[in-house]
Amino acid sequence: MTGPEDGAGRRQWAGAEGAALVYRDDAGAQRFVPLDGETSLTLGRGSGCDVRLPWDERVSRVHAGLERVGSDWTLVDDGLSRNGTFLNGERLTGRRRLRDGDTFVLGSTSFRFRDTTRPTTQLTKVGEQLVTAASLSPTQRQIAIALCRPYKHDDPYATPASNQQIADELFLSVDAVKTHLRAMFQKFQIEDLPQNQKRVKLVERVLGLGLVNRRDL
């Protein structure tokens, strides 16, 4: 398979059905990688990878792979990548089956897996409307960065920044922070979660989708 920089056809998904990867390149253009007819692909910065991300310095030369197992696609990271692969906000170790709507991040690049040949479950409906960087206002993104700051060093005991900490950092009122967070809870469709889970889930989503990455922190 040729790299995405080769294909004008990579900008549009030729088939209405089938499996594909969807992502944006360094210029912000949406790219599609049809998977039908393939059995495996490698993703990384290296020239030999099937899907190349030469602009993303946080992506390893060979970072991760996709492999077909029966009728399913799996995402594989066997430890080749230095910065890891994050699937739906969680760091991937080994192999995981992909479902329609799943999102995974390599470096600072976010991919969405689509498979229109398989029924969409309730699990994948959460990601039905993908939130992008353009979906967040500048203030909301700054709040998201401040919220995630305690996770800078991958501390397993980290917890999201408090409203007061965010307000102090950004010179906002606590009420303003709460208002923006409520709006983001709605955008990410997590407003119905218990109050003590919303903030953690928001951190998972913005990091998992690459809307905030660790160099922002």
Side-chain angles (χ1 to χ4, degrees), residues 139 141-144 146 149 165-172 177:
T139 300
R141 187 170 186 277
Q142 288 302 312
I143 289 175
R149 202 172 299 285
Q165 289 172 322
I166 297 171
D168 291 344
E169 177 178 335
L170 301 179
F171 302 100
L172 295 171
V177 172

Side-chain angles (χ1 to χ4, degrees), residues 121-169:
T121 66
Q122 183 62 39
L123 176 66
T124 61
K125 286 182 180 177
V126 173
E128 188 65 28
Q129 184 173 356
L130 184 64
V131 179
T132 66
S135 305
L136 301 180
S137 70
T139 300
Q140 287 173 348
R141 187 170 186 277
Q142 288 302 312
I143 289 175
I145 291 172
L147 182 74
C148 297
R149 202 172 299 285
Y151 294 78
K152 180 175 183 177
H153 300 295
D154 293 320
D155 181 353
Y157 301 105
T159 57
S162 68
N163 290 341
Q164 187 65 61
Q165 289 172 322
I166 297 171
D168 291 344
E169 177 178 335

Side-chain angles (χ1 to χ4, degrees), residues 187-204:
K187 286 181 180 180
F188 286 91
Q189 302 178 28
I190 57 176
E191 69 271 22
D192 293 331
L193 289 178
Q195 191 63 36
N196 63 340
Q197 295 181 23
K198 290 180 184 178
R199 300 167 72 85
V200 173
K201 183 59 68 174
L202 182 57
V203 168
E204 291 178 0

Side-chain angles (χ1 to χ4, degrees), residues 6 31 36-37 47 50 64 66 75 81 90 105 108 118 121 148 150-151 156 159 164 170 188 195 204 216:
D6 298 328
R31 297 282 187 162
D36 286 359
S47 59
D50 299 309
L66 264 70
L75 179 64
S81 65
E90 298 181 0
V105 176
S108 301
R118 306 180 76 80
T121 66
C148 297
Y151 294 78
T159 57
Q164 187 65 61
L170 301 179
F188 286 91
Q195 191 63 36
E204 291 178 0
D216 294 324

Side-chain angles (χ1 to χ4, degrees), residues 44-107:
R45 280 197 299 138
S47 59
C49 289
D50 299 309
V51 179
R52 291 190 61 212
L53 310 171
W55 63 85
D56 194 333
E57 295 181 351
R58 298 186 70 246
V59 170
S60 300
R61 285 192 308 109
V62 179
H63 195 108
L66 264 70
E67 294 182 3
R68 182 184 282 277
V69 179
S71 59
D72 293 322
W73 278 97
T74 61
L75 179 64
V76 184
D77 188 328
D78 289 329
L80 294 176
S81 65
R82 184 169 186 177
N83 291 313
T85 301
F86 291 82
L87 174 61
N88 296 328
E90 298 181 0
R91 186 158 186 159
L92 174 67
T93 301
R95 180 192 306 270
R96 190 81 60 82
R97 183 175 66 178
L98 292 173
R99 295 180 172 87
D100 181 39
D102 279 349
T103 299
F104 62 92
V105 176
L106 280 60

